[in-house]
Amino acid sequence: MADYVAPLKQMRFTIEHLAEFQHVLALPDYNAVDAEMAAAVLEEAGRFAAGVLAPTNWVGDRKGVQVIDNAVQVPAELTAAYAQFCEAGWPGIASNPEFGGQGLPKTLSIACDEMWAAANVAFALCPELSQGAILALERHATDELKRAYLAKLIGGQWTGTMCLTEPQAGSDLSTLTTRAQPQGDRYLLTGRKIYITWGDHPMTENIVHLVLARLPDAPPGTKGISLFLAPKYKLKADGSPGERNDVFAVSVEHKLGIHASPTAVLAFGDHGGAEGYLIGKANEGLAAMFTMMNYMRLGVGAQGVGLSERAYQQAVGYARERKQGRAPGEKGVVAIIRHPDIRRTLLLMRALTQASRAICYYTASCLDRASHAADAESAATWQGRAELLTPIAKAFPTEVGQEVTSLGIQVHGGMGYVEETGAAQYYRDVRIASIYEGTNAIQAIDLAGRKLLRDGGAVVSAFVSEMRSVDPRLANAGEDLAVVRQALARGLDEVVLCSTHLLTGEKRDPELISAAAFNYLMLLGTVIGGWQLARGALAAGAESGAPGADRTFLDTQVLLAKFYAEQVMPRALAHGAAARAGSASIMALSVEQF
Ligand SMILES: Cc1cc2nc3c(=O)[nH]c(=O)nc-3n(C[C@H](O)[C@H](O)[C@H](O)COP(=O)(O)OP(=O)(O)OC[C@H]3O[C@@H](n4cnc5c(N)ncnc54)[C@H](O)[C@@H]3O)c2cc1C
């Protein structure tokens, strides 16, 4: 099993050139951050991910979790790693300094998220969920609740969960039934939540559940959902955890992957009611929860990137060692990395991973620029782009993650299918990422049905114009980048064609959006990835003449852009054509005919 090495150079390059870090650093709130500090944070995070977290990955997968006496037990290796994670100050790096966070930009912390996921995604889910809960509390909780809970969550002494799903309410939360009965200044919650990630564990002295539930007089559907905070242990007058609250893990799921992450069924109120506190306004809980969900969606995208990177590293290591077959001009049996098909596979893995990384980091940068903008107009512009990109940043890297980790197995041949190489674990672990946090189909419908339609395509159109603006620079680069220029131009034409088709076709074909959404999302993801790699090639070209430039690394960026243009961008046209085909054949069979 290959060791994980954080791809620091690639991450720094992506942050600087493709996530436009200079614009983030220019924001007044980030005065104290500079490129040198960012590089030091990445280096330290890389050391922690590789040295502390990565060694727990395999053992966590083997040992898994269990419920003993209504309490979840996790492997001791993870508990020890979590203690070190908190000691080193990692939980709060991007959180509000007012409550003890370090206030670093998301554009930087997303790279840390990628590294935590690459090292041990089952572990990484725990601090990621806490971060989402912190953000939701910062935005929507009362000052009293913020004072009581934020510092402990930011310090990592307590962790957070997200309790949405119920057996009958998955993608469609309108049918959720968990109840909240007012009781003085608080509420008593009763109901069952399923699939709650890190819903119970012994790693911290308290757990803070953010729970969607209904008030007695709530209207039906999504307009009657409120958000509550329910701690595992109620707080004493001095703020420390005291009496046990009425929320217990009933069982944990046996899953395909992420074995070290407890996925719990939580029973609220089996013994009279779990005490909870309202977050935000009554009946507006779904909107408040979306703060956490959107945060998590980008985080899940970063999981796709991390696991793709890890699978790539593992596959390269194996391909260098494994000898099979002969090759023209070489004596004897060669390492499989010599074969064109293995090279194609490895490059495909690397190019797709880098495209996904660039999409995620750029989305983080849009979020930073939206949340910390100096004026309302630029805040609205960047918010619009971040909202457009969020479903793409969740779904594209997680689709890619499945492909790349599967290719990783393929490079190993039979050894990939055997657990001991570790390649199979990445494939198993990444599979959930296209399901949770809203399945990729739900992301695609959000993109095509809401983000595109709601403004008549204005945000998409502005983004397309910006992506087109690299064309003169690609033209100046001459023959070397001609293939990249042509592929990007064709891809962007397809985005325009397809967007127009969806914007004008809904009346003609009421099922069009839903039928086309997945391919529309993959079209956009593929083209935005191509735009990012093209910009990478331009930045590498500009940098390669500088004294001390790392020519090998920079030339590789140019090569990746060319490879992606030749081998991946044709998929954009196929996705566009499939999206434009409409719903007729998709809807033609009766239910019985399936
Ligand atoms: C390991 C794991 C961890 C999880 N962690 C959490 C957690 O911490 N907190 C939490 O609240 N939940 C969690 N979940 C739940 C997860 O978010 C849901 O499984 C997911 O949202 C899908 O819901 P569902 O399983 O009910 O599938 P369903 O909603 O039943 O969907 C089944 C299929 O139908 C499709 N579908 C559904 N509706 C539509 C539609 N309108 N249009 C097109 N296609 C549609 C879906 O895309 C999917 O392919 C977790 C799940 C797992 C397995």
Side-chain angles (χ1 to χ4, degrees), residues 162 164-165 170-171 195-197 255 432 435-437 439 441 445:
M162 185 171 80
L164 283 67
T165 309
S171 300
Y195 298 145
I196 305 308
T197 301
K255 310 186 294 282
I432 183 59
I435 297 172
Y436 58 22
E437 273 324 313
T439 64
I445 291 166

Side-chain angles (χ1 to χ4, degrees), residues 2-8 114 118 306-320 346 349 353 357 404 412 426:
D3 289 339
Y4 169 65
V5 180
L8 294 176
E114 177 197 322
L307 283 161
S308 295
E309 173 65 36
R310 185 115 193 230
Y312 169 73
Q313 291 186 15
Q314 165 95 25
V316 170
Y318 188 79
R320 286 197 182 117
L346 293 174
M349 294 172 78
T353 304
R357 175 182 289 121
V404 169
H412 288 73
Y426 311 139

Side-chain angles (χ1 to χ4, degrees), residues 500-515:
T500 309
H501 187 82
L502 297 191
L503 283 163
T504 56
E506 214 194 356
K507 282 207 182 78
R508 221 175 31 245
D509 177 358
E511 310 272 15
L512 173 66
I513 295 294
S514 200

Side-chain angles (χ1 to χ4, degrees), residues 296-543:
M296 289 302 295
R297 284 174 178 181
L298 180 55
V300 172
Q303 292 171 15
V305 180
L307 283 161
S308 295
E309 173 65 36
R310 185 115 193 230
Y312 169 73
Q313 291 186 15
Q314 165 95 25
V316 170
Y318 188 79
R320 286 197 182 117
E321 298 288 318
R322 172 72 173 161
K323 289 197 164 62
Q324 281 296 286
R326 291 170 190 272
E330 303 216 16
K331 278 199 186 128
V333 178
V334 297
I336 58 170
I337 199 164
R338 172 65 184 74
H339 300 309
D341 190 63
I342 292 287
R343 288 170 160 257
R344 179 193 62 76
T345 307
L346 293 174
L347 274 169
L348 187 55
M349 294 172 78
R350 182 157 175 184
L352 285 171
T353 304
Q354 175 57 10
S356 301
R357 175 182 289 121
I359 289 172
C360 286
Y361 291 16
Y362 180 75
T363 305
S365 164
C366 294
L367 283 169
D368 281 333
R369 285 185 267 181
S371 317
H372 301 272
D375 59 85
E377 195 187 332
S378 56
T381 303
W382 290 112
Q383 186 62 31
R385 189 162 295 177
E387 286 177 8
L388 176 78
L389 282 168
T390 297
I392 301 170
K394 192 273 177 179
F396 183 77
T398 56
E399 291 295 321
V400 158
Q402 291 179 65
E403 181 176 351
V404 169
T405 55
S406 173
L407 291 171
I409 290 178
Q410 196 70 17
V411 169
H412 288 73
M415 282 307 285
Y417 201 68
V418 171
E419 288 282 358
E420 71 193 58
T421 60
Q425 188 191 345
Y426 311 139
Y427 181 64
R428 289 189 285 101
D429 281 354
V430 86
R431 190 61 189 83
I432 183 59
S434 57
I435 297 172
Y436 58 22
E437 273 324 313
T439 64
N440 286 358
I442 297 296
Q443 305 301 321
I445 291 166
D446 175 48
L447 174 71
R450 251 167 46 84
K451 309 287 168 67
L452 172 71
L453 295 191
R454 72 181 174 187
D455 61 3
V459 171
V460 173
S461 173
F463 192 23
V464 166
S465 300
E466 190 174 322
M467 289 192 274
R468 277 206 203 283
S469 70
V470 298
D471 186 71
R473 290 169 60 212
L474 290 170
N476 278 343
E479 221 12 65
D480 196 34
L481 292 185
V483 62
V484 176
R485 183 182 177 215
Q486 193 186 48
L488 182 59
R490 280 190 186 150
L492 287 168
D493 287 347
E494 183 59 55
V495 170
V496 173
L497 198 64
C498 201
S499 303
T500 309
H501 187 82
L502 297 191
L503 283 163
T504 56
E506 214 194 356
K507 282 207 182 78
R508 221 175 31 245
D509 177 358
E511 310 272 15
L512 173 66
I513 295 294
S514 200
F518 180 77
N519 277 302
Y520 183 66
L521 185 144
M522 292 304 285
L523 161 66
L524 259 85
T526 307
V527 173
I528 297 167
W531 167 68
Q532 286 287 42
L533 293 201
R535 296 204 305 163
L538 290 170
E543 227 174 66

